[in-house]
Amino acid sequence: MELRQLRYFVTVAEELHFGRAAERLVIGQPAVSQQVRRLERELKVELFDRTPRTVRLTAAGETFLPAARAVLAAEEQARSVAAELAGGQRDVFRLGTVTGLGDRLDRLFDAFARHAPHVRIELVSVPVRERLARLADGHLDAALVRGAAPDGGEGTGLLRRPLWDEELVAAVPARHPLAQREAVALGDLAGLALCLTERRNHPALVDLVLDGCRRAGFAPVPGPATSNLQDTLAAVGSGSSPLWTVVYEGNARRLRVPRVAFVPFAGPGLRLPVELAVRAGARSAPLVEVLLAALTAPVCNDQ
């Protein structure tokens, strides 16, 4: 049994999709499938039920998952200790993060360099449920949460601090007439198919967009399924059929996709609240204040 096999297994268990797991691990899908199969042969049990359309944990997989996570957490802690020893006992602040931070991420690193130069920021990108679970058990010092936190009790003992409202913009084909507008209403997009992530990946985002469409008087036609933002924007920009999606405004300002136009929404628009979650009574409180000051400072939109 190898650590990488456990890491691959846990990632597939979180994504329930070998392709998305491979993307997160930045390796080829065949390598993920091969190593998970080797782990199953080593354990002499099937960890996943696989069909051409779905991947599910077996009962054995559900039982084995907490043990695999515990081993990986122990490895992570050992590596952190070794890094601190090698770096002269440098402190580490582990932050569960979200995509689309834009300029705020630069300001965060700058603020820590000025006010806490002895602290290294470690960004941890995992699904929101896992993010809150790691925060609650002490494996993260703070976590950013976009939209309402999922139910399930992971947030027990956690404090939530509002930060800002995340603006969404529409992404449409650059050659579509809507791309020439200064702003679009949701109803203007009714004739285009909507490319959106699966709800289990980001329930707050999916619910926000679909509820907005319903209030605008239409149910969006589902577009082709894609596994990441890059593939989604490629589909929107291909021009093979009229498609649209939503992108965080902070991401849109940094993206350069010639075949895609990013257009603000008219009226109230679409926004998701972003909050910082911390453990009550955590010793990292002074660093949390540095973090809050950096993340809530006014954002410069000039590029």
Side-chain angles (χ1 to χ4, degrees), residues 1 17 25-26 32 69 76 82 85 91 106 120 131 138 147 157 228 233 235 240 265 269 284:
M1 187 186 305
H17 192 285
L25 293 163
V26 198
V32 177
R69 282 177 167 156
E76 181 181 339
L85 291 172
D91 292 332
D106 295 332
R120 174 174 62 87
R131 205 179 312 150
N228 56 60
L233 294 179
S240 55
F265 285 106
S284 57

Side-chain angles (χ1 to χ4, degrees), residues 215-278:
R215 288 195 300 271
F218 73 100
V221 177
T226 56
S227 59
N228 56 60
L229 179 60
Q230 181 179 355
D231 290 347
T232 299
L233 294 179
V236 171
S238 68
S240 55
S241 60
L243 303 172
W244 71 286
T245 190
V246 292
V247 177
Y248 298 118
E249 191 269 343
N251 268 356
R253 284 190 286 108
R254 293 193 165 205
L255 290 170
R256 297 292 181 267
V257 189
R259 294 178 178 271
V260 176
F262 300 107
V263 187
F265 285 106
L270 295 175
R271 295 178 179 85
L272 277 178
V274 180
E275 297 180 333
L276 182 70
V278 296

Side-chain angles (χ1 to χ4, degrees), residues 63-79:
T63 302
F64 184 65
L65 181 58
R69 282 177 167 156
V71 172
L72 295 177
E75 181 216 10
E76 181 181 339
Q77 183 177 8
R79 287 183 180 276

